[in-house]
Amino acid sequence: MSGLFITLEGGEGAGKSTQIRRLAARLEALGQTVVLTREPGGSPYAERVREAILAGQGKPYGPFAEALMFSAARLDHLKQTIRPALARGEIVLCDRFADSTRAYQGALGALNQDELLALERVVVGETRPDLTLILDLPAETGLARADARRGGGELKADRFESENLNFHKRLRKAFQSIAQAEPERCCIIDADRDAEEVEFAIWECIKQKFAQDLNIAPEPVD
Ligand code: T5A
């Protein structure tokens, strides 16, 4: 018995947290057991690593060292949370996963992509997502949303939010390239519209991909 592993990816403020909750509710309404989790984080050890990374503690050591920190957290998250849930036949919805390392640490530059992919193979092994939803929107829009959520400057931007606009533009391109390179696994969702419309687009994608697994009745034809 093996469940489904679905990841949500995208730049800052893309709406992943908003959409992952909506998707979970729709799947639960079908009677599915859903595990909602996130990266970095998703297990007690990985949550501690998250705090350190987002506070910028890895930054002085460079992007590859940060990739190693994300990977250490991911190893534990896979072992403690993701693999056991999949083995129980549950649906794992994960807010960010290995594509974020490819995109973010890649976009920071000066990293050998082959080395990053080799690291991913070692850490992730066979536990690859069945589907990755990439929420795509202009970097400026995502950053404005993230800023508004922080109260327009009342709270400090975290380690990656505070990178410059060019970084966030490179990031968007990096996610688009991942989707182009792996169309079987990835579905690009236009996230620059109302949350309801984004939710609908995500659900269309889920139905297309998993109608049989989820026992979703086909749409009536007019
Ligand atoms: N990272 C992570 C790496 O560098 N490498 C890695 O390997 C991994 C795993 C994680 C950081 O770590 C980096 C990436 C990140 O910088 P985080 O706090 O988890 O940090 O940050 P994010 O994943 O970016 O989460 P955010 O909360 O910033 O963005 P979300 O989840 O995409 O957006 P969400 O849903 O919280 O929405 C943001 C705001 O916009 C509103 C929401 O209400 C909210 O206020 N909103 C909308 N507004 C208008 N229209 C819509 N359609 C909207 N949808 C949501």
Side-chain angles (χ1 to χ4, degrees):
M1 189 161 74
S2 177
L4 290 177
F5 184 22
I6 300 172
T7 57
L8 276 82
E9 297 277 7
E12 301 298 315
K16 295 175 287 41
S17 315
T18 305
Q19 294 300 332
I20 209 167
R21 289 191 296 268
R22 292 176 180 227
L23 179 55
R26 281 180 178 262
L27 291 167
E28 280 163 357
L30 293 175
Q32 300 290 334
T33 303
V34 175
V35 173
L36 265 187
T37 187
R38 68 171 180 181
E39 290 212 345
S43 67
Y45 168 73
E47 289 291 332
R48 288 208 299 278
V49 178
R50 175 190 175 90
E51 274 177 38
I53 297 174
L54 295 187
Q57 288 178 18
K59 188 175 175 182
Y61 306 102
F64 193 67
E66 284 184 309
L68 293 176
M69 290 173 82
F70 282 112
S71 299
R74 184 163 301 133
L75 266 179
D76 195 61
H77 183 208
L78 279 159
K79 186 173 171 208
Q80 304 294 338
T81 308
I82 297 176
R83 289 194 184 115
L86 293 175
R88 293 191 299 269
E90 296 169 1
I91 300 180
V92 175
L93 297 184
C94 189
D95 188 338
R96 296 195 181 282
F97 190 62
D99 293 317
S100 280
T101 308
R102 288 192 205 176
Y104 274 77
Q105 279 58 60
L108 285 168
L111 279 189
N112 179 323
Q113 276 296 323
D114 290 340
E115 284 173 8
L116 269 187
L117 291 178
L119 177 63
E120 179 182 315
R121 276 195 298 278
V122 173
V123 172
V124 170
E126 299 295 308
T127 317
R128 302 200 162 259
D130 298 294
L131 171 68
T132 297
L133 298 156
I134 297 186
L135 272 55
D136 178 65
L137 80 176
E140 293 88 340
T141 312
L143 288 171
R145 284 186 193 170
D147 187 53
R149 193 194 38 198
R150 286 195 310 274
E154 269 174 42
L155 293 172
K156 207 168 151 258
D158 72 24
R159 158 74 186 89
F160 297 100
E161 284 167 349
S162 53
E163 287 288 331
N164 65 29
L165 182 59
N166 269 343
F167 165 79
H168 291 283
K169 287 184 171 173
R170 284 202 301 280
L171 198 53
R172 182 185 190 192
K173 286 213 176 85
F175 279 120
Q176 288 170 340
S177 303
I178 291 171
Q180 274 155 15
E182 296 185 56
E184 287 299 303
R185 169 174 71 89
C186 300
C187 181
I188 284 250
I189 303 287
D190 174 6
D192 191 11
R193 47 189 170 161
D194 284 354
E196 284 65 36
E197 291 176 79
V198 178
E199 178 185 347
F200 183 76
I202 288 177
W203 191 241
E204 285 302 305
C205 180
I206 296 282
K207 283 197 294 191
Q208 229 178 40
K209 182 104 180 162
F210 301 122
Q212 269 195 331
D213 306 78
L214 299 173
N215 210 7
I216 302 175
E219 300 284 323
V221 183
D222 294 335

